[in-house]
Amino acid sequence: MNDIAGYVATLPKAELHLHIEGTLEPELMFTLAKRNRVSLPYASVDEVRAAYAFSNLQDFLDIYYAGASVLIEARDFHDLTWAYLERAHADNVRHVEIFFDPQTHTERGIAFGTVIDGIGRALDEARDRLGITSGLIMCFLRHLDESAALRTLEEAMPHRRRICGVGLDSSERGNPPGKFSEAFRRARAAGFAPVAHAGEEGPPEYIREALDLLEVIRIDHGNSALRDPGLVAELVRRQVPLTVCPLSNLALRVVDDMKAHPLKRMLELGLMVTVNSDDPAYFGGYVNDNYVAAAEALDLSRGDLKRLAQNSIEASLLGRSAKDELRAELGA
Ligand code: ADE
Ligand code: ZN
């Protein structure tokens, strides 16, 4: 283990941008395909990995939604979530806020409750056996229309004890946040914490819309904010957290080279930036790998890395005493 990886491993941290469907490793994909008698368009694990050469977000999403077809029973959602939580525990992750895409499953005839039961059981086990606390954020798929999001919100209501927030993901270009104003208005009124993907491939205007029309408390990604100095000033002033995902940005060609990643500039500008893995099974690394890749390419200091871990705690939905405890342990 090199020096940076060793240091990153000592930092208690939260992960705030993690799609549970994006933690499906090819080995588990094959296990579940066999268990559920689902046929896959790949002959081997190596063939699956070879397919993970993406030119943009849509390339990835096509494969990601196809992979999710092996998830059928509550036990499958449990096993998927538990595998991620064990991996997160190894990275010294103490708190996770996990995205899931209910429409990816309900559209295939899987009940909302099946998804929630499986994921929820693994989260309870992680609390009891690994000491990891968690929240669950359901994302609306932005390539579908708002009426589908509104139906999903209704379906979520009986399970709302289990769900702390709503998010917005999938194909960004051509699907601005404003398309979901009413769904977010109702979700906020029902007590869900609102977040949204914005500024990954989309323009800075989408980040503004997410703030102004969806009233989000965090921006997922937010890279394109740097093209708009006025927006940066507002994000800094309000300390709106950005959940940045370096290896995802590289895999989906949001940046051409890790050395060109805006993370260091974001820190220098005073943005409340955090580091996360997004879809680690597809992008070649879990959260600590993201810290290390960024640190090596951008020459981040130990102080920068500690700041990123501290930001992850501050930007989480944890209560004050849990934040105080983690902050104290971090020595921040
Ligand atoms: N769904 C899973 N990962 C995503 C990403 N990086 N952007 C948009 N939607 C997603
Ligand atoms: Zn994401």
Side-chain angles (χ1 to χ4, degrees):
M1 187 186 289
N2 70 30
D3 202 20
I4 297 175
Y7 180 67
V8 168
T10 68
L11 301 171
K13 59 187 73 71
E15 181 153 45
L16 308 178
H17 186 155
L18 181 283
H19 301 263
I20 201 62
E21 295 89 349
T23 68
L24 180 60
E25 293 286 350
E27 290 79 5
L28 184 58
M29 193 188 291
F30 272 87
T31 301
L32 297 184
K34 196 166 166 210
R35 190 153 101 189
N36 292 323
R37 298 190 178 81
V38 173
S39 72
L40 289 171
Y42 311 104
S44 67
V45 163
D46 287 343
E47 227 180 79
V48 178
R49 288 220 162 82
Y52 294 173
F54 313 114
S55 304
N56 53 42
L57 174 59
Q58 194 60 50
D59 270 5
F60 154 69
L61 290 171
D62 292 342
I63 290 185
Y64 160 87
Y65 293 131
S69 68
V70 302
L71 299 162
I72 309 278
E73 309 283 349
R75 177 181 161 205
D76 306 332
F77 290 93
H78 167 274
D79 294 355
L80 174 72
T81 307
W82 181 252
Y84 162 69
L85 290 162
E86 282 197 307
R87 191 64 192 67
H89 182 60
D91 277 358
N92 208 0
V93 171
R94 305 300 182 78
H95 176 75
V96 291
E97 289 169 17
I98 294 183
F99 293 134
F100 73 113
D101 289 336
Q103 290 156 297
T104 299
H105 312 298
T106 54
E107 284 209 327
R108 300 181 288 120
I110 312 294
F112 200 110
T114 299
V115 180
I116 289 279
D117 286 353
I119 298 175
R121 203 152 38 81
L123 296 179
D124 288 349
E125 284 170 26
R127 181 197 56 215
D128 297 343
R129 291 165 55 186
L130 306 176
I132 297 180
T133 55
S134 61
L136 203 46
I137 300 175
M138 65 164 179
C139 288
F140 301 127
L141 296 179
R142 70 201 304 159
H143 66 271
L144 302 177
D145 59 27
E146 190 178 41
S147 61
L150 288 166
R151 281 197 302 278
T152 301
L153 184 59
E154 285 304 312
E155 278 185 276
M157 284 305 181
H159 309 284
R160 53 157 313 163
R161 191 186 56 81
R162 274 281 183 200
I163 302 170
C164 65
V166 293
L168 184 65
D169 67 0
S170 193
S171 319
E172 187 178 9
R173 284 202 187 111
N175 294 300
K179 182 177 162 187
F180 295 91
S181 297
E182 176 61 16
F184 271 69
R185 191 192 63 72
R186 287 195 205 172
R188 291 194 313 273
F192 295 106
V195 300
H197 283 55
E200 180 184 20
E201 286 190 342
E205 290 73 31
Y206 284 19
I207 299 174
R208 279 194 188 279
E209 273 194 25
L211 293 170
D212 297 344
L213 302 181
L214 306 188
E215 299 182 24
V216 297
I217 58 161
R218 292 198 298 247
I219 296 287
D220 297 311
H221 295 294
N223 298 51
S224 72
L226 296 195
R227 295 180 353 221
D228 180 342
L231 176 59
V232 169
E234 182 176 345
L235 292 167
V236 170
R237 184 178 57 75
R238 292 172 50 187
Q239 286 291 286
V240 177
L242 307 181
T243 62
V244 170
C245 306
L247 288 172
S248 164
N249 293 158
L250 189 62
L252 302 186
R253 312 266 189 100
V254 173
V255 295
D256 295 333
D257 187 319
M258 194 58 87
K259 288 190 187 306
H261 197 280
L263 182 69
K264 188 168 182 165
R265 276 206 53 224
M266 289 169 153
L267 278 167
E268 288 165 354
L269 287 163
L271 287 159
M272 168 58 91
V273 63
T274 66
V275 166
N276 309 272
S277 68
D278 205 5
D279 301 283
Y282 292 88
F283 302 147
Y286 285 77
V287 70
N288 283 8
D289 302 315
N290 276 269
Y291 277 75
V292 170
E296 286 178 340
L298 303 172
D299 202 19
L300 300 182
S301 67
R302 287 189 172 207
D304 293 331
L305 294 167
K306 188 166 165 179
R307 162 63 57 190
L308 290 165
Q310 187 184 344
N311 286 355
S312 75
I313 294 161
E314 308 299 348
S316 75
L317 298 171
L318 282 169
R320 189 192 297 181
S321 69
K323 284 187 184 180
D324 285 347
E325 260 177 47
L326 286 172
R327 208 184 286 122
E329 194 182 330
L330 191 59

